[in-house]
Amino acid sequence: MLDGLVVGGGLAGLTAARVLTRAGRRVRVLEAAPEVGGRVRSRELEGFTLDAGFQVLFPAYPAVRRQLNLDALDLVPLPSAAALRRGAREDVLGSPLDDLASLPSTLKSGALTLGDKLRVARLAASLRTPAAHELLIGSDESTESFLRGQGFSEAALDHFFRPFFGGIFLRRDLATSARLFRYYFRMLMDGGAALPRRGMGELSRQLAQGSDLLTGVRVSRLLPRPGYVTAVTSAGEIDARQVIVATEAPTASDLTGEALSRGALSSTYLYYATPQRISGQHRLLLNAETGLINNAQWTSLAVPGRAPTGQHLLTVTVLGLPDLDDASLDARVRGELTRWYGAEAVGTLRLLMLERIPYAQFEQPAGYAATLPGHATSLPGVLLASEITSMSGIQGALESGEKAAAIVLGDLAALSRPRGA
């Protein structure tokens, strides 16, 4: 009999299994998909390395530093700046301390007023003082309400905060919890953003090393027995003393009977290849106008090696799931890109893949933390490990896996660690 069975091979499940295995427990991970990683995976297509959606890593995440070997990930730092696109006009805004080349454009840019630039500096200074995890506690409000309270102009909200944090929160209305906004802002200050040279899937591969894994195995039921749990799977029944359910919330609800759903935010991604160097901009591109595109990046410029020699890779993020077929969505996105680069350049783009992700995050409005479920379930011997217990994203998934494993091990130090620490 296994000591533990982990259902789901995403970041939370892989972390739980990793911690338990290192503690000497006999643990197996079951993943229904053909590969582990959940939403954090990469694929090779015609020599291009494509991540599942547009993702970046914040190396300052505390759980990342505990669980991952950052040197082995071969991280490529991303510029602490973004290029705001308004048609053919491009304004670069950035931190001169981290991206010196952005200084002239940042000073001259009219996208933000001088007052807004000073407010950003004041906000950064105020967020450096407390411990990062303390930014997740206290009173809460929407990010938009918080930013307006800081005095930011309408132009700052529309041209920068909505597209930039829209890419993080997967919604441009800034209705997401201001606690999360402050926490992510701090993570960016502490460690910036980076991408593994070989793709975000390297995180999952590293976490999975040394684990007993079975892919392509789906769990349909969990049956508590005296002293153990039987998992009914597509590969037969498996007994374990404890089961950790580490799937997306809808599946976890089905298996545990718990009301775990907190809504879903969706996103769509278009990956384009071109033999032509259309742009030399390696910074994140933010659409400061109304349109389908929220943000984009010339991934092959930001991370050399992501495209074959002589080719370039553009990743475009569209929030939600537009009610358009693939051809119509591609045409609409090309129309917006034409305003940026012109028809001749856009005509060289070839759509490699279009990906729709129905469940990319759960909704996290102001006050959401008060509704988070715990790790215990009503099924004896069954625990939950999921970002739904913390926050949507890499930190939330890793720390949830850590906490579930800590319950099994009786690790009081890990259990007492605050959310986000």
Side-chain angles (χ1 to χ4, degrees):
M1 181 184 296
L2 295 168
D3 294 320
L5 183 68
V6 177
V7 182
L11 296 190
L14 293 175
T15 300
R18 178 187 181 90
V19 173
L20 291 172
T21 299
R22 289 184 167 184
R25 302 299 175 92
R26 185 167 172 253
V27 180
R28 180 171 297 155
V29 180
L30 302 181
E31 169 56 49
E35 59 183 329
V36 297
R39 299 192 302 276
V40 183
R41 53 190 170 82
S42 304
R43 296 137 304 180
E44 296 293 326
L45 180 63
E46 299 180 22
F48 294 87
T49 300
L50 310 180
D51 290 334
F54 178 76
Q55 303 181 55
V56 299
L57 176 66
F58 293 175
Y61 278 146
V64 163
R65 296 188 172 186
R66 286 191 296 271
Q67 296 298 329
L68 292 167
N69 181 337
L70 294 179
D71 290 337
L73 289 176
D74 191 14
L75 294 177
V76 179
L78 299 177
S80 297
L84 275 60
R85 298 295 316 211
R86 288 177 286 176
R89 178 173 177 175
E90 182 176 276
D91 290 300
V92 175
L93 296 176
S95 167
L97 296 176
D98 301 312
D99 186 352
L100 188 59
S102 71
L103 178 58
S105 179
T106 299
L107 293 175
K108 292 187 297 182
S109 172
L112 297 185
T113 67
L114 176 60
D116 287 324
K117 295 168 189 175
L118 293 174
R119 290 180 192 101
V120 170
R122 185 179 65 192
L123 174 61
S126 70
L127 296 181
R128 283 196 183 277
T129 303
H133 69 269
E134 293 177 355
L135 299 173
L136 291 171
I137 59 178
S139 61
D140 202 5
E141 58 187 313
S142 72
T143 296
E144 179 173 358
S145 173
F146 171 74
L147 291 173
R148 290 188 185 281
Q150 297 289 307
F152 284 102
S153 69
E154 204 70 37
L157 294 178
D158 290 342
H159 294 161
F160 176 72
F161 287 108
R162 293 192 194 282
F164 184 82
F165 282 92
I168 295 175
F169 296 144
L170 300 186
R171 54 189 307 164
R172 284 177 75 114
D173 60 6
L174 298 176
T176 304
S177 162
R179 294 179 185 173
L180 278 178
F181 166 81
R182 292 189 288 265
Y183 183 77
Y184 289 139
F185 200 107
R186 173 63 178 273
M187 291 296 103
L188 284 166
M189 286 196 297
D190 286 353
L195 284 170
R197 193 176 301 276
R198 294 178 299 278
M200 287 291 288
E202 289 300 301
L203 277 69
S204 303
R205 283 190 282 273
Q206 191 180 116
L207 288 172
Q209 289 173 3
S211 295
D212 178 1
L213 291 166
L214 286 179
T215 57
V217 178
R218 186 174 299 277
V219 177
S220 57
R221 292 181 66 195
L222 297 174
L223 305 175
R225 316 285 195 191
Y228 68 99
V229 179
T230 296
V232 181
T233 84
S234 56
E237 294 186 352
I238 301 175
D239 295 333
R241 291 183 176 85
Q242 298 211 252
V243 171
I244 295 176
V245 177
T247 65
E248 291 181 347
T251 302
S253 292
D254 291 340
L255 289 174
T256 64
E258 304 290 334
L260 300 174
S261 177
R262 297 297 185 275
L265 295 175
S266 308
S267 52
T268 303
Y269 304 91
L270 298 93
Y271 309 86
Y272 292 102
T274 175
Q276 181 175 320
R277 187 182 174 93
I278 294 174
S279 170
Q281 184 57 265
H282 64 298
R283 300 174 181 87
L284 179 67
L285 303 167
L286 302 179
N287 185 9
E289 299 181 313
T290 301
L292 282 174
I293 297 174
N294 182 74
N295 58 275
Q297 185 173 57
W298 287 98
T299 311
S300 52
L301 295 180
V303 187
R306 291 290 189 95
T309 302
Q311 292 286 319
H312 303 276
L313 174 63
L314 175 66
T315 304
V316 175
T317 301
V318 173
L319 302 183
L321 300 175
D323 187 18
L324 297 167
D325 60 38
D326 288 0
S328 299
L329 179 56
D330 176 31
R332 288 276 300 275
V333 168
R334 285 175 183 273
E336 293 182 19
L337 291 173
T338 297
R339 285 181 43 77
W340 296 7
Y341 300 122
E344 183 178 349
V346 172
T348 70
L349 295 177
R350 176 171 63 91
L351 183 64
L352 278 171
M353 189 172 74
L354 191 155
E355 181 174 33
R356 301 174 193 260
I357 301 179
Y359 187 98
Q361 287 187 21
F362 66 91
E363 296 191 34
Q364 301 169 103
Y368 86 99
T371 72
L372 292 174
H375 294 272
T377 75
S378 58
L379 297 179
V382 178
L383 297 170
L384 180 68
S386 166
E387 63 179 16
I388 199 74
T389 67
S390 176
M391 67 186 87
S392 201
I394 293 172
Q395 169 69 24
L398 294 181
E399 73 174 33
S400 182
E402 291 177 327
K403 290 287 180 69
I407 293 172
V408 174
L409 297 173
D411 183 349
L412 298 181
L415 285 172
S416 63
R417 188 183 296 128
R419 188 168 64 99

